[in-house]
Amino acid sequence: MAMWIFGYGSLIWKAGFHYDDRLVGFIKGYRRVFYQGSTDHRGTPEYPGRTVTLEPAQGQVCWGVAYKITSKEHQSAALEYLEVREKQYDRKAYFDFFTDPSSVTPALCGVMTYIGSTDKKTNENYLGPAPIEEIAKQIATAEGPSGPNRDYLFHLEKELIKIGCKDDHVIELANEVRQILLKGEVIRS
């Protein structure tokens, strides 16, 4: 039986595991937000970056990609890899995945993804909402072992455009970070 994994952040452009098929689509009732702290990839414990997580949002959809993994060996390897890569996310969640905006029937059921919950007891890296200027300044400045946090944001913006998704939160944040960079405001305090 095939396993499906939903990517809504960096998994869109860098799966990091073997997969047999990749579908573009969305989940319903959630939106992508830069509320998850990253101290191991796009920031440090002293200066965390921000990456995306999902937040319930009635009437909204979150676009991304679903990866199909068929063989048991590849499924085990993918899960082992993702448990390390996504270790700062404290929940696995399963969603219906749609490929057609006019359909009420999902293309796939039980597509797995990782989420950073709002519970600070189980998710010490949850940063939560903040003014867009504050989030943008943090992203413009933070850097970790996987590179500058702003590269994560700009890659996400580019990949979402490639799959035909206009995500207002990502676009607004990317534009704000570009303004900070143009003004040369990326000096850490």
Side-chain angles (χ1 to χ4, degrees):
M1 189 163 138
M3 175 175 76
W4 288 87
I5 296 172
F6 178 57
Y8 60 93
S10 62
L11 286 178
I12 294 173
W13 72 86
K14 183 183 177 189
F17 52 83
H18 174 84
Y19 59 90
D20 302 297
D21 198 6
R22 178 182 185 265
L23 294 177
V24 171
F26 58 92
I27 61 171
K28 294 181 177 182
Y30 284 83
R31 70 184 197 118
R32 176 185 6 254
V33 289
F34 274 83
Y35 295 173
Q36 180 69 15
S38 175
T39 60
D40 64 342
H41 288 293
R42 296 296 179 164
T44 63
E46 300 78 32
Y47 202 86
R50 280 185 178 256
T51 55
V52 291
T53 188
L54 296 174
E55 152 179 283
Q58 191 172 356
Q60 301 242 356
V61 299
C62 178
W63 284 86
V65 296
Y67 294 101
K68 179 182 182 181
I69 306 169
T70 307
S71 85
K72 290 285 184 206
E73 181 183 324
H74 289 149
Q75 289 175 14
S76 293
L79 287 174
E80 188 176 316
Y81 168 76
L82 289 170
E83 287 298 316
V84 173
R85 177 174 168 171
E86 307 295 332
K87 69 183 176 206
Q88 293 196 326
Y89 291 81
D90 63 320
R91 273 187 54 219
K92 281 185 196 159
Y94 298 85
F95 293 102
D96 289 341
F97 181 82
F98 297 81
T99 54
D100 179 357
S102 63
S103 179
V104 292
T105 306
L108 303 166
C109 296
V111 176
M112 194 261 299
T113 197
Y114 291 81
I115 297 177
S117 76
T118 61
D119 184 351
K120 291 292 278 178
K121 288 179 186 157
T122 60
N123 182 11
E124 64 186 31
N125 291 298
Y126 181 74
L127 298 174
I132 195 81
E133 300 82 11
E134 187 180 311
I135 294 174
K137 192 168 189 176
Q138 189 172 358
I139 290 172
T141 309
E143 189 167 339
S146 296
N149 197 181
R150 62 184 171 262
D151 289 354
Y152 173 95
L153 170 63
F154 295 147
H155 280 308
L156 181 58
E157 178 188 40
K158 181 177 140 190
E159 293 302 316
L160 289 173
I161 290 167
K162 271 189 197 175
I163 65 170
C165 170
K166 182 180 181 258
D167 186 309
D168 292 335
H169 178 64
V170 173
I171 293 167
E172 181 182 14
L173 203 45
N175 287 336
E176 189 69 29
V177 169
R178 281 190 270 278
Q179 286 302 310
I180 290 169
L181 295 173
L182 281 173
K183 294 175 188 174
E185 297 175 10
V186 290
I187 299 166
R188 286 191 188 174
S189 50

